[in-house]
Amino acid sequence: LTGNAGVTLTQDVNHTIYGVGEIDVPTFINNGLVNASKANGITINSPSVTNNGLLETTTANLSIKNVTMNNTNGNIANNTTTNTGVFISGSAITGGNYSGLITIASSSTFTTPTINAGATIYITPAQTLTINGPTLVNNGLIQIDQTASNADLDFASTTSISDTGTIELDDWNPNARLTSDPGVTVTNGSTINGIGEIDAALINNGTINANVNGGSHAIVLQTINETNNNLIEATGGGIIQVTGITITQSGSGLITA
């Protein structure tokens, strides 16, 4: 689906685009359903997208590439039961819900996202997912890296992480990293676990758990001073390493191993 410069394509709430191919009309407004339902899937390349409906894959790959998207009223979902999925590359997406396995194939930005229960946001090696706040609602899993290459979850504006989900640091030397830009504060109300680095001005109201028994591998708290109002712990042979920073503990703060 293509269009000349300045063209807007609006899909009605009762309409479906499905199959295999590309959507690269200059402006695409989706009020209905886009379903990557056939082999090789659908790639959305439109520079400007508003999603008020559902972008999903059920049997193939859905790729979102180099897109600026307003997803405030929409959902991006991987509803497959195969090894296909949703791949996001070089895109900036504001708002909305994410379901199923969503892969950050190349560095992208989410603003005020909601990660649904059962969803996984996987940040691939050497890539960065940048978060703009003020909120990150996480009821699923954000997984940072799995192999030998730095990957980052970076907070570009002051953000509060809430709900029952987990941020999993999943690599060591080079590391999976949770970072924040200068002057940015991250308030954690959920769980951060695994092995890797936390290089952020973090206020911990949730749990930080070094829960991987990896010899000298650890969760390293470093670079920027932090505040602990709840629990920082090492379990299952894991290690918490504090390097060159001050951790301010409130009366309810606990560091334990």
Side-chain angles (χ1 to χ4, degrees):
L1 294 173
T2 64
N4 294 332
V7 168
T8 297
L9 173 65
T10 301
Q11 175 169 231
D12 186 77
V13 65
N14 296 312
H15 195 267
T16 298
I17 297 171
Y18 73 97
V20 55
E22 296 185 7
I23 300 172
D24 52 16
V25 63
T27 300
F28 177 48
I29 301 172
N30 177 48
N31 297 317
L33 170 64
V34 176
N35 182 0
S37 60
K38 294 185 178 181
N40 300 317
I42 290 176
T43 298
I44 300 176
N45 289 318
S46 294
S48 176
V49 175
T50 298
N51 180 36
N52 298 315
L54 176 59
L55 307 176
E56 71 167 350
T57 175
T58 53
T59 55
N61 289 336
L62 173 65
S63 297
I64 299 171
K65 293 185 175 181
N66 303 317
V67 166
T68 298
M69 182 186 299
N70 182 347
N71 190 47
T72 302
N73 298 311
N75 190 7
I76 299 173
N78 179 355
N79 291 320
T80 66
T81 57
T82 63
N83 291 325
T84 55
V86 175
F87 297 86
I88 298 176
S89 303
S91 295
I93 302 176
T94 298
N97 293 270
Y98 296 86
S99 303
L101 174 61
I102 310 294
T103 299
I104 307 302
S106 70
S107 296
S108 296
T109 299
F110 289 174
T111 299
T112 61
T114 296
I115 315 304
N116 291 336
T120 296
I121 306 296
Y122 171 51
I123 306 171
T124 57
Q127 306 305 319
T128 298
L129 177 60
T130 299
I131 301 294
N132 286 315
T135 60
L136 164 57
V137 179
N138 180 24
N139 288 301
L141 172 66
I142 300 175
Q143 187 176 39
I144 308 170
D145 204 350
Q146 283 182 317
T147 57
S149 183
N150 290 332
D152 295 346
L153 178 65
D154 179 63
F155 290 84
S157 64
T158 293
T159 302
S160 176
I161 307 168
S162 65
D163 284 347
T164 59
T166 298
I167 296 172
E168 182 177 280
L169 301 167
D170 205 20
D171 195 21
W172 177 265
N173 193 30
N175 292 342
R177 302 182 297 201
L178 188 155
T179 62
S180 66
D181 292 359
V184 169
T185 300
V186 180
T187 301
N188 175 47
S190 60
T191 298
I192 301 169
N193 66 19
I195 52 174
E197 298 176 17
I198 298 177
D199 305 319
L202 188 73
I203 300 172
N204 181 45
N205 296 327
T207 298
I208 298 172
N209 183 4
N211 62 346
V212 175
N213 184 351
S216 62
H217 298 174
I219 287 183
V220 182
L221 311 179
Q222 62 182 16
T223 308
I224 306 173
N225 293 340
E226 301 178 14
T227 299
N228 182 36
N229 297 320
N230 197 47
L231 178 62
I232 298 174
E233 65 178 347
T235 62
I239 299 170
I240 288 286
Q241 178 179 326
V242 181
T243 302
I245 65 169
T246 297
I247 297 178
T248 302
Q249 294 233 98
S250 70
S252 58
L254 176 64
I255 300 175
T256 184

